[in-house]
Amino acid sequence: MIIICEAKATEAQINAVESKIREAGLVVHRSDGAEHTILGVVGDRIRLDVGTVSVMPGVRDVVPVSTPYKLASHEFHPENTIVRVGEECLVGGMEIAVMAGPCAVESEEQIEASAEFAAASGARILRGGAFKPRSSPYAFQGSGIEGLKMLRNAADRHGLAVVTEVMTIELIETVSEYADLLQVGARNMQNFPLLTALGHAGKPILLKRGMSATIQEWLMSAEYILTEGNPDVILCERGIRTFETATRNTLDLSSVPVIKHLSHLPIIVDPSHGVGNRRFVSSMARAAVAAGADGIMVEIHPNPDKALSDGPQSLAFEEFGLLMNRCRIIATTIGRRLGKAK
Ligand code: PEP
Ligand code: MN
């Protein structure tokens, strides 16, 4: 970090700042300008809190140079991470991973039809919530363990991996029995005890961006999982809250190149929650692939108008099939590929 002292900082104040830095085991380089003294700090920044230094007498500004997250950062991990999900699916490599399925598992028939169509279109991972974080306590809360079983069986019948949300620490073990990829929902992105526990889950984690989270906060949440020893984190952009009301959220597609610049972790995009309206889902899914996302997660339903959750943003099978054909063309154009139909 770089510390800029106030023009009127006294020698005693500057010395106190220098001592603070040395006490933290860091090295300080002092440079006296015509007006300001500048202190360059070298060493592991995590040992010294920016906030503590910035309020010391005589300090005008503190400019962090390195990122507050290390394990998630590209600087410390130049190779891109490829995460294996289930037996066959790799996320973060040449192939763009498609995760598709209903918002919530509702019945055998519904999840079977979704799995069949998803596999036949080239998706690799079946999604479906069994424990649902609903804004209203009166809305359908998911079918619980029965839902997990239906999801797993349908995925197995069609050679797909499974992603589903885990809402609490208590459910990690149960959900892990049925899922290949554990989803942390937007509402739990900063549930730090949950993230810490998932660091020991022994399964890859899909970490959705919180609806009001900055990219830095999102990466700090990934750091919670990584620092506990789980290296398999996939990030998922799912839209953030802005002043715009025409769409459910504002899908921040710029996070894709930004994450690629800052981090080695794979990033996928969920255009369904991003826009909340099926009319706009396909355009944003295609844009995500073009922007360099490592995958997309799309909600589909055999009868979207009858869905128990998120029907308005769910694609009918036909629309999804069309989207997959278009994404395949875009993937090829940018030197990547989409999964083959099963
Ligand atoms: C979901 O994927 O079904 C979901 C609830 O998403 P989010 O956490 O992004 O709202
Ligand atoms: Mn949903």
Side-chain angles (χ1 to χ4, degrees):
M1 72 176 71
I2 294 163
I3 299 165
I4 303 154
C5 300
E6 283 172 346
K8 56 177 188 343
T10 64
E11 193 55 33
Q13 288 171 338
I14 297 172
N15 287 341
V17 176
E18 287 189 79
S19 306
K20 187 92 190 161
I21 295 163
R22 291 200 185 95
E23 276 164 29
L26 302 166
V27 176
V28 56
H29 297 280
R30 176 171 172 162
S31 154
D32 292 306
E35 278 193 46
H36 298 276
T37 291
I38 292 180
L39 304 173
V41 182
V42 186
D44 188 353
R45 187 192 131 188
I46 287 166
R47 292 200 223 161
L48 189 64
D49 178 40
V50 172
T52 311
V53 181
S54 62
V55 295
M56 288 183 77
V59 172
R60 197 191 75 180
D61 216 352
V62 179
V63 186
V65 175
S66 59
T67 56
Y69 45 86
K70 268 209 155 61
L71 301 174
S73 136
H74 234 326
E75 259 179 281
F76 294 92
H77 195 300
E79 292 286 303
N80 279 329
T81 288
I82 297 180
V83 176
R84 178 177 288 279
V85 178
E87 297 285 304
E88 292 179 20
C89 182
L90 297 177
V91 184
M94 284 291 284
E95 187 174 304
I96 291 162
V98 178
M99 312 183 186
C103 178
V105 182
E106 298 168 7
S107 67
E108 283 282 5
E109 298 70 36
Q110 175 239 24
I111 197 67
E112 166 59 24
S114 306
E116 185 183 17
F117 197 87
S121 316
R124 291 272 187 250
I125 302 175
L126 181 64
R127 66 147 286 147
F131 295 92
K132 295 296 304 170
R134 303 304 301 277
S135 301
S136 163
Y138 305 116
F140 176 57
Q141 302 289 309
S143 40
I145 296 177
E146 275 316 300
L148 291 177
K149 288 182 184 159
M150 291 189 253
L151 183 64
R152 181 76 260 172
N153 290 337
D156 286 346
R157 283 193 291 269
H158 297 282
L160 298 169
V162 163
V163 59
T164 195
E165 178 160 355
V166 56
M167 288 206 295
T168 61
I169 296 177
E170 295 72 34
L171 280 169
I172 294 177
E173 220 178 299
T174 307
V175 174
S176 298
E177 274 179 49
Y178 300 95
D180 302 295
L181 177 61
L182 306 179
Q183 176 173 324
V184 176
R187 292 155 190 82
N188 262 330
M189 190 207 82
Q190 286 189 314
N191 181 338
F192 302 119
L194 177 65
L195 300 178
T196 300
L198 287 169
H200 303 278
K203 293 267 178 176
I205 310 299
L206 182 68
L207 179 63
K208 290 192 123 187
R209 180 175 182 180
M211 54 183 92
S212 301
T214 63
I215 287 175
Q216 179 164 307
E217 286 162 343
W218 189 14
L219 288 171
M220 298 281 273
S221 289
E223 193 82 2
Y224 265 90
I225 302 167
L226 299 171
T227 196
E228 294 297 321
N230 185 348
D232 295 324
V233 177
I234 302 167
L235 301 166
C236 178
E237 167 63 49
R238 48 78 72 206
I240 47 173
R241 282 238 164 115
T242 67
F243 53 82
E244 184 54 71
T245 54
T247 47
R248 180 176 176 180
N249 291 291
T250 296
L251 186 64
D252 179 14
L253 279 185
S254 61
S255 72
V256 174
V258 173
I259 289 287
K260 288 279 166 207
H261 175 64
L262 296 175
S263 178
H264 55 91
L265 297 172
I267 174 167
I268 70 156
V269 171
D270 167 359
S272 308
H273 293 87
V275 297
N277 180 333
R278 76 174 76 109
R279 278 194 192 94
F280 312 128
V281 168
S282 293
S283 317
M284 299 315 280
R286 285 180 272 140
V289 173
D294 296 301
I296 49 174
M297 180 152 90
V298 183
E299 286 184 340
I300 61 172
H301 195 284
N303 189 349
D305 293 331
K306 292 265 165 64
L308 295 182
S309 139
D310 284 350
Q313 68 192 34
S314 300
L315 295 187
F317 292 168
E318 259 165 69
E319 293 171 283
F320 178 64
L322 203 61
L323 168 64
M324 289 296 274
N325 293 340
R326 291 177 169 164
C327 285
R328 190 163 277 114
I329 297 168
I330 298 169
T332 312
T333 310
I334 59 170
R336 295 181 84 173
R337 58 172 188 268
L338 219 64
K340 288 206 181 70
K342 288 220 172 181

